[in-house]
């Protein structure tokens, strides 16, 4: 009988956020698949838990994933953890979880803190609809393409960023998005947790004078809906096209008024003048 995979969320900064259920699961599983065993062992030591671990991360996920899957198929129970937060969110864990579903291995969640959701709640930015975009590529053309793809997105945008790339990212976003409002959230649940509500231009100037430190989540306002403004000349041209399509002058002026917001009487008078 196949074993099981537990997806266990870990604290993103404050160890008190680790749930009693998560602690129990880690103490009961046969082994743990960890993004970085050196980080996870600190958590296990804090909890008084000793468990076999295997390193499972981006650059070994294919080879090591096969090993983890085979162990679960033989009946072992595994917990997958990331260094901080929920596995499979901007994390190679999603590949392991997908293969478990495909191979008939049960998957169960043990929810924990998630940086992007916590940052969005902290930011005070519109949260009814949002897009989580994760990390931008370090490759400049890929970064530019990614930003261009979401340039007109009207929902709130969420990105992760490391301190050494923050200024470059803010500059790239300013160049593509324009000077939008942004909430910059750092060190969530830690002693120096901060939320800076500002604009791209102000943030760039600030971080030129203040070295970025800690892990960042950027909460960016969505694109504004473009408003088309019509002048009287636009309305008259539209009315004349409608007349050419078979409408009477009066009906054409009325329809053009509905579309442009210009008064029907002004359109009609100018069109016949």
């Amino acid at each position: 009988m196949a074993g099981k995979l537990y997806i266990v969320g870990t604290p993103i900064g404050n160890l008190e956020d680790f749930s009693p259920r998560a602690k129990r699961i880690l103490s009961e599983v046969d082994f743990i698949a960890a993004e970085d065993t050196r980080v996870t062992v600190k958590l296990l030591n804090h909890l008084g838990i000793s468990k076999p671990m295997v390193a499972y991360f981006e650059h070994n996920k294919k080879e090591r994933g096969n090993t983890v899957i085979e162990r679960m198929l033989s009946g072992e129970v595994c917990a997958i953890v990331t260094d901080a937060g929920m596995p499979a969110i901007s994390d190679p864990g999603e590949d392991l979880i997908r293969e478990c579903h495909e191979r008939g291995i049960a998957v169960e969640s043990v929810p924990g803190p998630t940086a992007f959701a916590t940052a969005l709640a902290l930011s005070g930015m519109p949260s009814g609809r949002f897009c989580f975009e994760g990390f931008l590529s370090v490759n400049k053309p890929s970064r530019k393409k990614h930003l261009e793809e979401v340039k007109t997105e009207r929902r709130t945008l969420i990105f992760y960023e490391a301190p050494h790339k923050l200024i470059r990212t803010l500059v790239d976003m300013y160049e593509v998005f324009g000077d939008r409002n942004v909430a910059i959230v750092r060190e969530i649940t830690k002693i120096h947790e901060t939320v800076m509500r500002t604009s791209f231009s102000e943030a760039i100037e600030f971080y030129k004078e203040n070295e970025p430190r800690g892990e960042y989540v950027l909460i960016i306002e969505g694109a504004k809906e473009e408003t088309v403004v019509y002048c009287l000349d636009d309305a008259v041209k539209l009315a004349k096209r409608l007349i050419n399509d078979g409408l009477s002058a009066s009906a054409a002026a009325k329809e053009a008024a509905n579309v442009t917001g210009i008064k029907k009487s002004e359109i009609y008078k100018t069109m016949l003048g």
Side-chain angles (χ1 to χ4, degrees):
M1 181 178 178
K4 178 184 285 189
L5 177 69
Y6 285 99
I7 309 169
V8 181
T10 55
I12 55 179
N14 192 319
L15 292 179
E16 292 181 11
D17 294 334
F18 201 64
S19 74
R21 178 173 173 237
K23 179 180 179 180
R24 176 177 62 81
I25 294 298
L26 290 189
S27 68
E28 293 176 353
V29 298
D30 296 304
F31 69 105
I32 298 170
E35 180 182 8
D36 187 334
T37 57
R38 296 167 300 180
V39 173
T40 301
V41 75
K42 294 178 182 179
L43 174 64
L44 295 180
N45 288 340
H46 173 78
L47 299 171
I49 297 172
S50 177
K51 283 290 171 180
M53 287 189 288
V54 297
Y56 177 84
F57 51 91
E58 181 64 32
H59 300 297
N60 77 348
K61 62 183 181 182
K62 186 173 182 179
E63 175 188 351
R64 194 57 55 82
N66 291 333
T67 301
V68 173
I69 289 291
E70 290 302 320
R71 290 181 65 172
M72 287 187 288
L73 286 173
S74 69
E76 292 190 73
V77 177
C78 174
I80 182 170
V81 298
T82 186
D83 291 351
M86 281 298 291
I89 306 298
S90 284
D91 177 83
E94 66 180 274
D95 299 304
L96 183 63
I97 293 164
R98 180 177 60 251
E99 189 165 355
C100 283
H101 287 304
E102 293 173 351
R103 302 287 291 273
I105 299 170
V107 179
E108 189 170 322
S109 65
V110 185
T114 304
F116 80 82
T118 307
L120 180 59
L122 276 169
S123 72
M125 300 285 274
S127 60
R129 300 179 68 196
F130 61 88
C131 295
F132 173 62
E133 297 295 325
F135 287 98
L136 287 170
S137 170
V138 294
N139 178 271
K140 189 170 183 178
S142 296
R143 289 165 63 84
K144 184 70 177 295
K145 181 181 178 183
H146 188 164
L147 293 175
E148 289 288 350
E149 287 175 349
V150 296
K151 178 180 179 179
T152 59
E153 176 58 63
R154 293 175 59 193
R155 290 171 289 186
T156 299
L157 298 171
I158 305 176
F159 289 86
Y160 286 160
E161 196 50 277
H164 65 282
K165 296 191 297 180
L166 181 65
I167 295 177
R168 180 69 260 173
T169 292
L170 291 171
V171 170
D172 288 345
M173 289 177 170
Y174 177 62
E175 291 175 351
V176 175
F177 296 157
D179 200 13
R180 293 192 198 174
N181 292 322
V182 57
I184 301 175
V185 186
R186 64 182 288 272
E187 295 295 86
I188 300 171
T189 75
K190 300 178 182 178
I191 295 175
H192 299 293
E193 174 182 282
T194 57
V195 181
M196 178 192 295
R197 288 174 56 93
T198 182
S199 64
F200 285 133
S201 60
E202 291 176 347
I204 292 167
E205 291 305 312
F206 176 83
Y207 284 110
K208 284 180 178 178
E209 301 295 328
N210 300 272
E211 181 183 359
R213 294 184 178 181
E215 299 301 316
Y216 290 83
V217 184
L218 308 179
I219 314 292
I220 303 159
E221 71 172 342
K224 301 295 185 183
E225 183 177 8
E226 292 186 8
T227 302
V228 179
V229 179
Y230 295 96
C231 64
L232 179 57
D233 187 53
D234 295 325
V236 170
K237 288 179 180 178
L238 174 58
K240 288 181 178 179
R241 287 198 299 270
L242 293 171
I243 290 173
N244 290 335
D245 290 339
L247 291 185
S248 66
S250 178
K254 181 179 180 180
E255 180 63 23
N258 290 335
V259 172
T260 65
I262 306 296
K263 289 184 179 180
K264 174 188 173 182
S265 59
E266 292 182 16
I267 299 171
Y268 189 82
K269 179 180 178 181
T270 304
M271 184 171 56
L272 298 181

